[in-house]
Amino acid sequence: MRGITTSNVVRTIRSLHSGSIPRQLLARDSGKERVVILGSGWAGFTISRHLDKNKFQAVVVSPRSYFVFTPLLASTAVGTLEFRNTLEPVRGRNAGVEYIQGWADDVSFDRKTLTIEAVTSQPGSGSQADKASSSRRGELFDISYDKLIVAVGCYSQTFGTKGVRENALFLKDVGDARKIRSRILECEYPIIRILPPLLNFLGFETASLPTTSEYLRKNLLNFAIVGGGPTGVEFAAELFDLCHEDLSRLYPNLIPYVNISIYDVAPKILPMFDAKLATYALNLFKRDGIKIKTEHHIQELRPGLPEGQKGGPDTAGCLTLTTQEEGDIGVGMCVWSTGLMMNPFVQKALDSVHVYPKSSAITNILDNAPDHPSSLKWSLKRHSKSGGLMVDDRFRVQLVESDAATEATVVDVFAVGDVSVMENSPLPATAQVANQEARWLAEHLNTGDINSHRFSFRNLGVMTYLGGMRAIMQTGEREIKGRTAWLIWRGAYLTKTVSWRNKLLIPIYWAINWVFGRDISRF
């Protein structure tokens, strides 16, 4: 065929092998503005799906090629649902979205270009830890944009607690849910890479062995959840259901050893709920035997059993959780869910503005505003506590010069979701907020009237599953609890599921597991 030579084929193969991006992907779609969206979470994925594809060329940059419906992750971690029930592909059939699997490395607001590092292999959870653990750096390349939307999300906050990042399990991505499910049943733990092969198996399988001593069995089946918010509470509830509805039939002699504890530094759990609903949840957990340990300060999480406990070298991969109040506690698994920390891309790559973007920045009118803002040193304005990007009520990022005497607004760069903080009305970092922000921004970019409208958040309420087909729900002054709240909880999540494929599969899996029990197979 004309135009195809051996050298061209070799170059193509080398390009694919090195992870470089096909040039046709970087080509501009004539007649359309290119909107580059950083992130495939709640905000980024929602914007990519709602942008008018006749007006915009949407390009998503993310290490993950999928969106995760995070409210159902706890259900997948215990086998109530399958992992793919929570996933939606970024590309998708008829999505009209281009996708680049990579990390945003740097931004030039003046030249309107973004430097991207290609992902050399699929990361486990799309986290900065995955990037840091990669053995080689991906190829760097630039892509231009007309509008840039920063929606990279946040990571789990560990507060620098010793050993947590290395030894705890999190619940932010489907990879985390897979690790938790494996840990409960067999189980494989991240620390096994540095432990002898003898220590690779634990959980219910190891606890059921006749060679396992009673003291070790108690530690293996002691599950610690750190964080008393909705995520930690829902996981504790799902874990309780798994143990007492399914595993109790397979391991009846082990259930008396199961101990589930929720740790939190605050004086109470579920602080976003009114006292009446929070008390209902507390009493329900006490009845079920789930321990609530508030005002507990975690100091360390390390491999092995607490010092002084007998048992020799075989600790079966157990961990020691050290608290200020109780000292060392042996646990078989620790799930960490204590809030959010700012994405390293926002902390580092967006640390400074290389050149003032005079073509797209509007300097705020102040008495001491300089005549030549390009001569000043500018940086992105951040929230003093969280480090999030300060935005106006249209989600446009704000700049501040070095002396903090002058500010500016960049009209073609937006930040939504967990990484953004509205100056006039800060909002909680929840999926509900990110979803509404993304829908609003996409809608007003489509109509072109973004300058004439201001975002207003509508609180749809909060809900949390408590186990045993019971939940709590609060919308304004209305409070619902028990079985009715559980039905609403399931109905709301099913309605919010994106694709019709998962809208059909999720209730089918619910029905199958209700009749036949959860799938606890290990593979």
Side-chain angles (χ1 to χ4, degrees):
M1 293 177 64
R2 181 177 297 179
I4 297 181
T5 65
T6 302
S7 59
N8 287 336
V9 172
V10 171
R11 281 196 298 269
T12 301
I13 295 175
R14 287 177 177 174
S15 175
L16 292 173
H17 180 71
S18 65
S20 60
I21 304 301
R23 295 302 171 189
Q24 62 268 25
L25 180 64
L26 304 181
R28 280 192 173 273
D29 194 338
S30 60
K32 298 181 182 180
E33 283 190 277
R34 174 184 281 172
V35 180
V36 176
I37 304 165
L38 302 183
S40 57
W42 276 95
F45 181 80
T46 301
I47 290 175
S48 70
R49 289 302 177 97
H50 287 82
L51 278 177
D52 186 349
K53 304 309 185 297
N54 294 320
K55 295 181 62 176
F56 300 107
Q57 178 190 14
V59 181
V60 176
V61 178
S62 173
R64 301 188 315 189
S65 60
Y66 53 84
F67 159 74
V68 182
F69 192 79
T70 50
L72 293 178
L73 273 182
S75 296
T76 66
V78 299
T80 304
L81 293 174
E82 285 308 305
F83 301 111
R84 287 197 174 273
N85 294 151
T86 64
L87 301 182
E88 302 287 350
V90 172
R91 295 181 187 273
R93 182 178 295 181
N94 302 321
V97 176
E98 297 185 45
Y99 169 71
I100 298 176
Q101 189 171 22
W103 308 89
D105 194 75
D106 197 9
V107 181
S108 172
F109 298 109
D110 179 52
R111 296 186 294 112
K112 290 189 176 184
T113 59
L114 181 73
T115 301
I116 300 171
E117 177 187 344
V119 172
T120 55
S121 61
Q122 178 67 34
S125 61
S127 70
Q128 197 73 8
D130 295 317
K131 181 180 180 182
S133 63
S134 177
S135 58
R136 60 192 181 96
R137 185 172 172 86
E139 182 179 351
L140 296 177
F141 59 94
D142 291 341
I143 181 173
S144 61
Y145 65 84
D146 294 304
K147 289 181 172 63
L148 176 65
I149 300 175
V150 181
V152 292
C154 293
Y155 297 150
S156 297
Q157 176 64 270
T158 64
F159 304 100
T161 307
K162 185 178 180 181
V164 170
R165 184 64 63 184
E166 298 80 9
N167 302 313
L169 294 171
F170 303 91
L171 201 54
K172 291 284 290 180
D173 195 7
V174 67
D176 301 325
R178 288 177 63 94
K179 292 176 183 178
I180 291 173
R181 185 163 164 182
S182 178
R183 176 71 176 176
I184 295 170
L185 299 175
E186 188 178 34
C187 182
E188 184 177 328
Y189 206 72
I191 60 171
I192 64 173
R193 293 189 297 268
I194 60 173
L195 293 175
L198 180 63
L199 309 185
N200 286 7
F201 304 99
L202 56 158
F204 276 82
E205 285 296 340
T206 302
S208 66
L209 295 174
T211 56
T212 302
S213 62
E214 184 170 347
Y215 89 94
L216 183 56
R217 191 172 290 122
K218 289 180 179 179
N219 284 286
L220 284 171
L221 301 182
N222 186 19
F223 302 105
I225 297 100
V226 181
T231 301
V233 166
E234 286 194 356
F235 175 72
E238 294 277 8
L239 179 59
F240 175 85
D241 286 352
L242 171 66
C243 293
H244 292 269
E245 293 176 4
D246 295 279
L247 298 181
S248 61
R249 301 182 182 183
L250 300 175
Y251 310 95
N253 296 329
L254 295 182
I255 297 305
Y257 294 95
V258 173
N259 182 45
I260 302 173
S261 301
I262 299 177
Y263 295 84
D264 201 297
V265 69
K268 65 177 183 178
I269 62 171
L270 300 175
M272 66 290 301
F273 287 91
D274 287 344
K276 185 177 179 181
L277 289 180
T279 301
Y280 172 81
L282 186 63
N283 291 336
L284 190 62
F285 276 177
K286 286 182 178 178
R287 188 195 71 181
D288 292 339
I290 299 175
K291 296 180 175 62
I292 307 297
K293 299 186 178 183
T294 54
E295 297 184 292
H296 275 61
H297 300 76
I298 308 301
Q299 296 179 321
E300 184 183 6
L301 182 66
R302 65 179 185 272
L305 289 172
E307 294 182 8
Q309 287 201 19
K310 58 183 179 179
D314 184 6
T315 62
C318 287
L319 301 170
T320 294
L321 182 70
T322 303
T323 68
Q324 181 178 326
E325 291 72 19
E326 297 183 13
D328 292 344
I329 305 164
V331 298
M333 179 180 71
C334 178
V335 175
W336 194 273
S337 176
T338 59
L340 303 174
M341 64 176 290
M342 195 50 54
N343 191 297
F345 169 74
V346 175
Q347 290 179 319
K348 298 178 181 179
L350 297 182
D351 188 47
S352 65
V353 177
H354 306 305
V355 179
Y356 180 78
K358 55 184 178 181
S359 63
S360 59
I362 301 174
T363 304
N364 296 351
I365 300 175
L366 300 172
D367 294 337
N368 59 345
D371 296 331
H372 303 286
S374 299
S375 62
L376 302 176
K377 183 178 180 181
W378 295 84
S379 60
L380 284 152
K381 188 176 181 181
R382 300 173 182 276
H383 189 261
S384 57
K385 293 183 178 180
S386 68
L389 300 177
M390 301 298 297
V391 298
D392 61 10
D393 45 19
R394 299 172 180 87
F395 303 106
R396 300 177 299 188
V397 300
Q398 307 293 297
L399 304 182
V400 60
E401 57 95 10
S402 56
D403 294 330
T406 308
E407 297 182 2
T409 299
V410 185
V411 298
D412 56 8
V413 180
F414 307 86
V416 289
D418 298 345
V419 299
S420 67
V421 180
M422 298 191 73
E423 285 192 296
N424 298 326
S425 55
L427 296 170
T430 64
Q432 180 184 159
V433 171
N435 185 48
Q436 288 192 33
E437 291 179 349
R439 285 176 175 268
W440 185 95
L441 182 57
E443 176 186 345
H444 290 284
L445 287 177
N446 291 339
T447 58
D449 62 351
I450 192 169
N451 292 324
S452 58
H453 292 78
R454 302 177 188 275
F455 173 76
S456 178
F457 173 64
R458 179 189 175 194
N459 191 344
L460 301 178
V462 288
M463 59 183 72
T464 297
Y465 179 57
L466 301 177
M469 295 185 179
R470 285 171 172 78
I472 53 176
M473 177 181 178
Q474 180 176 314
T475 56
E477 297 182 357
R478 187 180 182 187
E479 299 179 355
I480 305 174
K481 59 185 178 181
R483 191 66 55 87
T484 302
W486 172 75
L487 291 173
I488 298 174
W489 176 80
R490 280 205 162 180
Y493 284 169
L494 182 60
T495 303
K496 291 296 182 180
T497 300
V498 178
S499 66
W500 279 105
R501 178 180 181 275
N502 280 334
K503 287 181 188 294
L504 294 173
L505 288 176
I506 288 175
I508 290 175
Y509 274 103
W510 279 339
I512 290 174
N513 289 330
W514 183 71
V515 175
F516 300 105
R518 294 169 178 81
D519 179 12
I520 61 171
S521 58
R522 308 182 309 276
F523 55 89

Short mmCIF file of all heavy atoms in Angstrom, two decimals, residues 419-467:
data_model
loop_
_atom_site.label_atom_id
_atom_site.label_comp_id
_atom_site.label_asym_id
_atom_site.label_seq_id
_atom_site.Cartn_x
_atom_site.Cartn_y
_atom_site.Cartn_z
N VAL A 419 -11.37 20.28 44.84
CA VAL A 419 -10.18 21.14 44.82
C VAL A 419 -10.54 22.61 44.85
O VAL A 419 -9.65 23.46 44.98
CB VAL A 419 -9.30 20.85 43.58
CG1 VAL A 419 -8.80 19.43 43.59
CG2 VAL A 419 -10.06 21.16 42.30
N SER A 420 -11.82 22.95 44.71
CA SER A 420 -12.21 24.35 44.64
C SER A 420 -12.90 24.79 45.93
O SER A 420 -13.56 24.00 46.60
CB SER A 420 -13.16 24.59 43.46
OG SER A 420 -14.40 23.93 43.65
N VAL A 421 -12.71 26.07 46.27
CA VAL A 421 -13.36 26.67 47.43
C VAL A 421 -13.95 28.00 47.00
O VAL A 421 -13.23 28.88 46.55
CB VAL A 421 -12.36 26.90 48.59
CG1 VAL A 421 -13.08 27.52 49.79
CG2 VAL A 421 -11.68 25.60 48.98
N MET A 422 -15.27 28.13 47.10
CA MET A 422 -15.92 29.38 46.73
C MET A 422 -15.66 30.44 47.80
O MET A 422 -15.81 30.18 48.99
CB MET A 422 -17.42 29.16 46.54
CG MET A 422 -17.76 28.18 45.43
SD MET A 422 -19.51 28.15 45.00
CE MET A 422 -19.66 29.70 44.14
N GLU A 423 -15.27 31.62 47.35
CA GLU A 423 -14.89 32.67 48.29
C GLU A 423 -16.05 33.10 49.18
O GLU A 423 -15.90 33.29 50.39
CB GLU A 423 -14.34 33.87 47.52
CG GLU A 423 -12.94 33.66 46.97
CD GLU A 423 -12.34 34.94 46.47
OE1 GLU A 423 -12.88 35.51 45.51
OE2 GLU A 423 -11.31 35.36 47.03
N ASN A 424 -17.22 33.25 48.59
CA ASN A 424 -18.35 33.82 49.33
C ASN A 424 -19.15 32.78 50.11
O ASN A 424 -19.74 33.10 51.14
CB ASN A 424 -19.29 34.56 48.37
CG ASN A 424 -18.59 35.72 47.68
OD1 ASN A 424 -17.73 36.37 48.26
ND2 ASN A 424 -18.95 35.98 46.43
N SER A 425 -19.16 31.54 49.63
CA SER A 425 -19.97 30.51 50.30
C SER A 425 -19.30 29.15 50.17
O SER A 425 -19.64 28.37 49.27
CB SER A 425 -21.38 30.47 49.70
OG SER A 425 -21.31 30.28 48.30
N PRO A 426 -18.32 28.84 51.03
CA PRO A 426 -17.65 27.54 50.98
C PRO A 426 -18.64 26.39 51.15
O PRO A 426 -19.56 26.46 51.94
CB PRO A 426 -16.66 27.61 52.16
CG PRO A 426 -16.49 29.07 52.42
CD PRO A 426 -17.81 29.70 52.10
N LEU A 427 -18.43 25.32 50.37
CA LEU A 427 -19.32 24.17 50.38
C LEU A 427 -18.57 22.91 50.81
O LEU A 427 -17.35 22.83 50.63
CB LEU A 427 -19.93 23.97 48.99
CG LEU A 427 -20.83 25.10 48.48
CD1 LEU A 427 -21.17 24.88 47.01
CD2 LEU A 427 -22.09 25.19 49.32
N PRO A 428 -19.27 21.91 51.35
CA PRO A 428 -18.58 20.68 51.75
C PRO A 428 -18.07 19.91 50.54
O PRO A 428 -18.65 20.00 49.45
CB PRO A 428 -19.68 19.90 52.49
CG PRO A 428 -20.96 20.44 51.95
CD PRO A 428 -20.71 21.89 51.67
N ALA A 429 -17.01 19.14 50.75
CA ALA A 429 -16.41 18.36 49.66
C ALA A 429 -17.14 17.02 49.56
O ALA A 429 -16.68 16.00 50.06
CB ALA A 429 -14.92 18.15 49.93
N THR A 430 -18.30 17.03 48.91
CA THR A 430 -19.10 15.82 48.74
C THR A 430 -19.41 15.59 47.27
O THR A 430 -19.29 16.50 46.44
CB THR A 430 -20.43 15.93 49.52
OG1 THR A 430 -21.22 17.00 48.96
CG2 THR A 430 -20.17 16.21 50.99
N ALA A 431 -19.83 14.37 46.95
CA ALA A 431 -20.19 14.04 45.57
C ALA A 431 -21.37 14.86 45.11
O ALA A 431 -21.45 15.26 43.94
CB ALA A 431 -20.50 12.54 45.47
N GLN A 432 -22.31 15.13 46.01
CA GLN A 432 -23.49 15.93 45.66
C GLN A 432 -23.10 17.33 45.21
O GLN A 432 -23.62 17.84 44.21
CB GLN A 432 -24.43 16.00 46.87
CG GLN A 432 -25.69 16.79 46.63
CD GLN A 432 -26.55 16.92 47.87
OE1 GLN A 432 -27.38 17.82 47.97
NE2 GLN A 432 -26.36 16.04 48.85
N VAL A 433 -22.18 17.94 45.94
CA VAL A 433 -21.72 19.28 45.59
C VAL A 433 -20.99 19.26 44.25
O VAL A 433 -21.24 20.09 43.37
CB VAL A 433 -20.81 19.85 46.70
CG1 VAL A 433 -20.16 21.15 46.25
CG2 VAL A 433 -21.61 20.08 47.97
N ALA A 434 -20.06 18.32 44.09
CA ALA A 434 -19.28 18.24 42.85
C ALA A 434 -20.18 18.01 41.65
O ALA A 434 -19.97 18.60 40.57
CB ALA A 434 -18.25 17.11 42.96
N ASN A 435 -21.20 17.18 41.80
CA ASN A 435 -22.11 16.89 40.70
C ASN A 435 -22.90 18.13 40.30
O ASN A 435 -23.05 18.43 39.10
CB ASN A 435 -23.06 15.76 41.11
CG ASN A 435 -23.96 15.32 39.98
OD1 ASN A 435 -23.51 15.07 38.87
ND2 ASN A 435 -25.25 15.21 40.25
N GLN A 436 -23.41 18.87 41.29
CA GLN A 436 -24.18 20.07 40.97
C GLN A 436 -23.29 21.15 40.36
O GLN A 436 -23.71 21.85 39.42
CB GLN A 436 -24.86 20.60 42.23
CG GLN A 436 -26.02 19.75 42.70
CD GLN A 436 -26.84 20.45 43.77
OE1 GLN A 436 -26.99 21.67 43.78
NE2 GLN A 436 -27.37 19.67 44.71
N GLU A 437 -22.09 21.32 40.87
CA GLU A 437 -21.17 22.31 40.30
C GLU A 437 -20.86 21.98 38.85
O GLU A 437 -20.85 22.87 37.99
CB GLU A 437 -19.88 22.35 41.13
CG GLU A 437 -20.05 22.93 42.52
CD GLU A 437 -18.77 22.93 43.31
OE1 GLU A 437 -17.79 22.29 42.87
OE2 GLU A 437 -18.74 23.56 44.39
N ALA A 438 -20.58 20.71 38.57
CA ALA A 438 -20.23 20.29 37.22
C ALA A 438 -21.39 20.50 36.24
O ALA A 438 -21.20 20.98 35.12
CB ALA A 438 -19.78 18.84 37.22
N ARG A 439 -22.59 20.13 36.66
CA ARG A 439 -23.76 20.32 35.80
C ARG A 439 -24.00 21.80 35.51
O ARG A 439 -24.32 22.17 34.37
CB ARG A 439 -25.00 19.70 36.46
CG ARG A 439 -25.04 18.17 36.39
CD ARG A 439 -26.24 17.64 37.14
NE ARG A 439 -26.37 16.20 37.01
CZ ARG A 439 -27.09 15.59 36.07
NH1 ARG A 439 -27.76 16.33 35.18
NH2 ARG A 439 -27.16 14.28 36.00
N TRP A 440 -23.87 22.63 36.54
CA TRP A 440 -24.07 24.07 36.35
C TRP A 440 -23.04 24.64 35.37
O TRP A 440 -23.39 25.39 34.45
CB TRP A 440 -23.95 24.78 37.69
CG TRP A 440 -24.26 26.26 37.62
CD1 TRP A 440 -25.46 26.87 37.86
CD2 TRP A 440 -23.34 27.31 37.29
NE1 TRP A 440 -25.35 28.22 37.69
CE2 TRP A 440 -24.06 28.53 37.34
CE3 TRP A 440 -22.00 27.35 36.94
CZ2 TRP A 440 -23.47 29.76 37.07
CZ3 TRP A 440 -21.40 28.57 36.66
CH2 TRP A 440 -22.13 29.76 36.73
N LEU A 441 -21.78 24.29 35.56
CA LEU A 441 -20.73 24.82 34.70
C LEU A 441 -20.92 24.37 33.26
O LEU A 441 -20.80 25.18 32.32
CB LEU A 441 -19.36 24.39 35.22
CG LEU A 441 -18.15 24.90 34.44
CD1 LEU A 441 -18.14 26.43 34.38
CD2 LEU A 441 -16.85 24.39 35.06
N ALA A 442 -21.20 23.08 33.05
CA ALA A 442 -21.42 22.58 31.69
C ALA A 442 -22.60 23.27 31.02
O ALA A 442 -22.54 23.67 29.84
CB ALA A 442 -21.62 21.07 31.72
N GLU A 443 -23.68 23.43 31.76
CA GLU A 443 -24.88 24.06 31.20
C GLU A 443 -24.61 25.48 30.75
O GLU A 443 -25.02 25.90 29.66
CB GLU A 443 -26.00 24.05 32.25
CG GLU A 443 -27.26 24.77 31.81
CD GLU A 443 -28.29 24.86 32.92
OE1 GLU A 443 -28.16 24.13 33.93
OE2 GLU A 443 -29.24 25.67 32.78
N HIS A 444 -23.89 26.24 31.57
CA HIS A 444 -23.67 27.66 31.24
C HIS A 444 -22.52 27.84 30.25
O HIS A 444 -22.48 28.88 29.56
CB HIS A 444 -23.46 28.45 32.52
CG HIS A 444 -24.70 28.58 33.34
ND1 HIS A 444 -25.73 29.44 33.03
CD2 HIS A 444 -25.12 27.91 34.45
CE1 HIS A 444 -26.71 29.32 33.91
NE2 HIS A 444 -26.36 28.39 34.79
N LEU A 445 -21.62 26.90 30.14
CA LEU A 445 -20.66 26.94 29.05
C LEU A 445 -21.37 26.66 27.73
O LEU A 445 -21.06 27.26 26.70
CB LEU A 445 -19.54 25.92 29.28
CG LEU A 445 -18.50 26.25 30.36
CD1 LEU A 445 -17.52 25.10 30.51
CD2 LEU A 445 -17.76 27.54 30.04
N ASN A 446 -22.33 25.75 27.76
CA ASN A 446 -23.09 25.42 26.54
C ASN A 446 -23.89 26.62 26.04
O ASN A 446 -23.94 26.89 24.83
CB ASN A 446 -24.03 24.25 26.81
CG ASN A 446 -23.30 22.94 27.03
OD1 ASN A 446 -22.14 22.78 26.62
ND2 ASN A 446 -23.95 21.99 27.67
N THR A 447 -24.52 27.35 26.96
CA THR A 447 -25.35 28.49 26.56
C THR A 447 -24.55 29.76 26.36
O THR A 447 -25.04 30.72 25.76
CB THR A 447 -26.44 28.73 27.61
OG1 THR A 447 -25.83 28.96 28.89
CG2 THR A 447 -27.37 27.53 27.72
N GLY A 448 -23.31 29.79 26.89
CA GLY A 448 -22.47 30.97 26.73
C GLY A 448 -22.84 32.14 27.60
O GLY A 448 -22.39 33.26 27.37
N ASP A 449 -23.67 31.91 28.63
CA ASP A 449 -24.11 33.01 29.49
C ASP A 449 -23.54 32.90 30.89
O ASP A 449 -24.16 33.31 31.86
CB ASP A 449 -25.64 33.05 29.54
CG ASP A 449 -26.23 31.76 30.14
OD1 ASP A 449 -25.46 30.79 30.35
OD2 ASP A 449 -27.45 31.72 30.39
N ILE A 450 -22.34 32.35 31.00
CA ILE A 450 -21.77 32.10 32.32
C ILE A 450 -21.53 33.39 33.09
O ILE A 450 -21.59 33.42 34.33
CB ILE A 450 -20.46 31.29 32.18
CG1 ILE A 450 -20.03 30.77 33.56
CG2 ILE A 450 -19.35 32.12 31.54
CD1 ILE A 450 -18.91 29.76 33.49
N ASN A 451 -21.29 34.51 32.39
CA ASN A 451 -21.01 35.77 33.08
C ASN A 451 -22.25 36.41 33.68
O ASN A 451 -22.15 37.30 34.51
CB ASN A 451 -20.34 36.75 32.11
CG ASN A 451 -18.95 36.30 31.71
OD1 ASN A 451 -18.22 35.74 32.51
ND2 ASN A 451 -18.59 36.53 30.46
N SER A 452 -23.42 35.95 33.28
CA SER A 452 -24.66 36.57 33.76
C SER A 452 -25.37 35.75 34.82
O SER A 452 -26.48 36.09 35.22
CB SER A 452 -25.61 36.80 32.57
OG SER A 452 -25.90 35.60 31.90
N HIS A 453 -24.76 34.67 35.26
CA HIS A 453 -25.38 33.82 36.27
C HIS A 453 -24.38 33.49 37.38
O HIS A 453 -23.17 33.54 37.17
CB HIS A 453 -25.90 32.51 35.65
CG HIS A 453 -27.06 32.69 34.74
ND1 HIS A 453 -26.92 33.15 33.45
CD2 HIS A 453 -28.39 32.48 34.93
CE1 HIS A 453 -28.12 33.21 32.88
NE2 HIS A 453 -29.01 32.82 33.74
N ARG A 454 -24.90 33.14 38.53
CA ARG A 454 -24.08 32.76 39.67
C ARG A 454 -24.56 31.40 40.17
O ARG A 454 -25.76 31.13 40.21
CB ARG A 454 -24.17 33.79 40.80
CG ARG A 454 -23.74 35.18 40.38
CD ARG A 454 -23.93 36.18 41.52
NE ARG A 454 -23.69 37.54 41.08
CZ ARG A 454 -22.49 38.11 41.03
NH1 ARG A 454 -21.43 37.42 41.42
NH2 ARG A 454 -22.35 39.35 40.63
N PHE A 455 -23.62 30.57 40.59
CA PHE A 455 -23.97 29.23 41.06
C PHE A 455 -24.65 29.30 42.43
O PHE A 455 -24.24 30.07 43.30
CB PHE A 455 -22.73 28.36 41.15
CG PHE A 455 -22.98 27.02 41.79
CD1 PHE A 455 -23.62 26.01 41.08
CD2 PHE A 455 -22.60 26.77 43.10
CE1 PHE A 455 -23.85 24.77 41.67
CE2 PHE A 455 -22.82 25.54 43.70
CZ PHE A 455 -23.46 24.53 42.97
N SER A 456 -25.66 28.48 42.59
CA SER A 456 -26.35 28.36 43.86
C SER A 456 -26.54 26.88 44.17
O SER A 456 -27.12 26.14 43.35
CB SER A 456 -27.70 29.08 43.83
OG SER A 456 -28.40 28.92 45.05
N PHE A 457 -26.08 26.44 45.33
CA PHE A 457 -26.15 25.03 45.69
C PHE A 457 -27.51 24.70 46.31
O PHE A 457 -28.02 25.44 47.15
CB PHE A 457 -25.04 24.69 46.69
CG PHE A 457 -25.13 23.30 47.26
CD1 PHE A 457 -24.98 22.19 46.44
CD2 PHE A 457 -25.36 23.10 48.62
CE1 PHE A 457 -25.07 20.91 46.96
CE2 PHE A 457 -25.44 21.83 49.15
CZ PHE A 457 -25.30 20.73 48.32
N ARG A 458 -28.07 23.58 45.89
CA ARG A 458 -29.33 23.10 46.45
C ARG A 458 -29.05 21.83 47.25
O ARG A 458 -28.69 20.79 46.68
CB ARG A 458 -30.32 22.81 45.33
CG ARG A 458 -31.67 22.29 45.84
CD ARG A 458 -32.52 21.81 44.69
NE ARG A 458 -33.77 21.20 45.17
CZ ARG A 458 -34.58 20.46 44.42
NH1 ARG A 458 -34.27 20.25 43.14
NH2 ARG A 458 -35.67 19.96 44.92
N ASN A 459 -29.20 21.91 48.55
CA ASN A 459 -28.92 20.77 49.41
C ASN A 459 -30.05 19.75 49.31
O ASN A 459 -31.19 20.02 49.72
CB ASN A 459 -28.75 21.24 50.86
CG ASN A 459 -28.19 20.15 51.75
OD1 ASN A 459 -28.19 18.96 51.40
ND2 ASN A 459 -27.71 20.53 52.92
N LEU A 460 -29.74 18.56 48.78
CA LEU A 460 -30.73 17.52 48.63
C LEU A 460 -30.80 16.59 49.84
O LEU A 460 -31.58 15.63 49.84
CB LEU A 460 -30.42 16.69 47.38
CG LEU A 460 -30.39 17.46 46.05
CD1 LEU A 460 -30.02 16.54 44.91
CD2 LEU A 460 -31.73 18.13 45.79
N GLY A 461 -30.00 16.88 50.85
CA GLY A 461 -30.02 16.07 52.06
C GLY A 461 -28.88 15.07 52.11
O GLY A 461 -28.09 14.93 51.17
N VAL A 462 -28.78 14.38 53.22
CA VAL A 462 -27.74 13.36 53.42
C VAL A 462 -28.40 12.07 53.89
O VAL A 462 -29.45 12.08 54.54
CB VAL A 462 -26.69 13.83 54.46
CG1 VAL A 462 -25.83 14.92 53.89
CG2 VAL A 462 -27.36 14.29 55.75
N MET A 463 -27.78 10.96 53.55
CA MET A 463 -28.30 9.65 53.96
C MET A 463 -27.14 8.70 54.20
O MET A 463 -26.08 8.84 53.58
CB MET A 463 -29.26 9.09 52.91
CG MET A 463 -28.66 8.90 51.55
SD MET A 463 -29.87 8.32 50.33
CE MET A 463 -30.83 9.80 50.11
N THR A 464 -27.34 7.75 55.09
CA THR A 464 -26.30 6.80 55.43
C THR A 464 -26.93 5.45 55.77
O THR A 464 -27.93 5.40 56.50
CB THR A 464 -25.47 7.29 56.64
OG1 THR A 464 -24.81 8.50 56.29
CG2 THR A 464 -24.42 6.26 57.03
N TYR A 465 -26.32 4.39 55.25
CA TYR A 465 -26.78 3.03 55.55
C TYR A 465 -26.19 2.58 56.88
O TYR A 465 -25.02 2.83 57.18
CB TYR A 465 -26.34 2.08 54.43
CG TYR A 465 -26.74 0.65 54.65
CD1 TYR A 465 -28.07 0.30 54.84
CD2 TYR A 465 -25.78 -0.37 54.68
CE1 TYR A 465 -28.45 -1.02 55.05
CE2 TYR A 465 -26.15 -1.69 54.87
CZ TYR A 465 -27.48 -2.01 55.06
OH TYR A 465 -27.85 -3.31 55.27
N LEU A 466 -27.01 1.88 57.69
CA LEU A 466 -26.59 1.48 59.03
C LEU A 466 -26.57 -0.04 59.22
O LEU A 466 -26.30 -0.52 60.31
CB LEU A 466 -27.52 2.09 60.08
CG LEU A 466 -27.60 3.62 60.11
CD1 LEU A 466 -28.60 4.07 61.15
CD2 LEU A 466 -26.23 4.23 60.38
N GLY A 467 -26.85 -0.81 58.16
CA GLY A 467 -26.86 -2.26 58.27
C GLY A 467 -28.23 -2.80 58.63
O GLY A 467 -29.10 -2.09 59.15
#
